[in-house]
Amino acid sequence: MTKQNEQEALGAAMSKTEEFFERNSKRVSVALLAIFVLAAAIFGYRQLISQPRNKKAAEMIAEAQYRFEAATPDYRLALEGDANGAGFLEVIDRYGATKTGNLAKHYAGICYLRLGEMDNAADYLARFKPMKGIPAQIINAQNLGLQGDVAVERADYPAAIRFFEKAVASSDNDLTAPMYLRKAALAAKAAGNTEQAIAFAQRILDEYPASVEARNAEKLIGSFMN
């Protein structure tokens, strides 16, 4: 695989593109009172502050998401917003600590990546905190994979490989994991490590034989050997 082909393959791969409290008390009555007060405080915070803020954030982010997901996305407008609706940056600025604000950081990172602003893309993607729950694992993996894409754009292939490996571990399934293994293989090849590249591609065949990526894994391995 020539250097130009490696870059083209990497470019093609890029485009396919998570209650705890400690209680210490000597007297049971004091402990129960402390638990009651704590529970009340948590309930009050969620009802009076956390939930309303997240609701407002969800309402604010709607227009930015619409612009982001449009048939012809306007990533700059989705980021910065206008008189008709807030952008992801405003959602982050006002509600960055909420779940919706956290997701806005992920969206903002994608927008900057699509706009070719790699420093901002890396910054906002790194600000995203992994979400909990099985469906969220896909987003968590996507975020790590996108950080890997940014590293590829910077020709920092070792960093890209680390991100792609984390993406595989974050969402171990036949849909996303093989895709990130393929990206890791291409990044390893671009870094000049053919042995590592073949090992990543072989994992697709061994661990995800029913995946779409497995259909082309042998061809990928063959291209690495040329």
Side-chain angles (χ1 to χ4, degrees), residues 8-212:
E8 291 176 354
L10 280 167
M14 287 176 60
S15 65
K16 286 183 179 178
T17 356
E18 197 164 17
E19 168 178 311
F20 72 90
F21 296 96
E22 293 182 359
R23 298 188 296 271
N24 294 297
S25 179
K26 295 180 180 180
R27 301 178 63 85
V28 174
S29 60
V30 174
L32 290 174
L33 178 60
I35 294 170
F36 174 79
V37 171
L38 180 60
I42 294 172
F43 178 80
Y45 175 79
R46 288 177 176 172
Q47 293 297 315
L48 300 178
I49 300 177
S50 180
Q51 289 181 4
R53 281 178 58 80
N54 198 58
K55 181 180 179 181
K56 291 179 180 178
E59 293 171 351
M60 179 179 284
I61 203 175
E63 184 64 26
Q65 287 179 308
Y66 174 79
R67 289 163 170 171
F68 178 89
E69 296 168 357
T72 305
D74 190 328
Y75 295 117
R76 182 67 63 187
L77 191 57
L79 268 172
E80 300 176 355
D82 61 11
N84 295 317
F88 294 126
L89 297 181
E90 185 176 352
V91 176
I92 294 168
D93 184 55
R94 296 182 61 180
Y95 301 106
T98 67
K99 293 179 180 178
T100 301
N102 183 46
L103 187 59
K105 298 169 187 175
H106 177 68
Y107 275 117
I110 299 175
C111 288
Y112 279 124
L113 178 58
R114 298 293 180 258
L115 291 168
E117 299 180 27
M118 295 302 143
D119 289 344
N120 284 328
D123 180 22
Y124 280 91
L125 288 170
R127 292 190 195 186
F128 172 80
K129 295 181 180 179
M131 300 184 296
K132 296 180 180 180
I134 294 177
Q137 290 177 2
I138 300 294
I139 300 297
N140 298 339
Q142 183 191 36
N143 181 270
L144 291 164
L146 288 168
Q147 292 189 67
D149 290 343
V150 172
V152 167
E153 287 288 345
R154 293 171 163 176
D156 187 352
Y157 301 120
I161 292 169
R162 290 194 295 271
F163 280 122
F164 293 142
E165 287 184 299
K166 289 179 180 179
V168 172
S170 178
S171 187
D172 185 6
N173 58 70
D174 282 347
L175 178 63
T176 63
M179 177 181 68
Y180 294 122
L181 280 173
R182 179 172 178 270
K183 288 188 174 188
L186 292 168
K189 179 59 177 175
N193 193 332
T194 301
E195 184 177 346
Q196 185 183 34
I198 292 174
F200 281 129
Q202 187 63 47
R203 281 185 59 187
I204 299 174
L205 290 170
D206 295 343
E207 299 176 26
Y208 310 98
S211 69
V212 174

Side-chain angles (χ1 to χ4, degrees), residues 1-10 155 157 187-192:
M1 180 180 283
T2 67
K3 195 68 177 179
Q4 182 179 353
N5 289 339
E6 290 172 8
Q7 293 297 331
E8 291 176 354
L10 280 167
Y157 301 120
K189 179 59 177 175

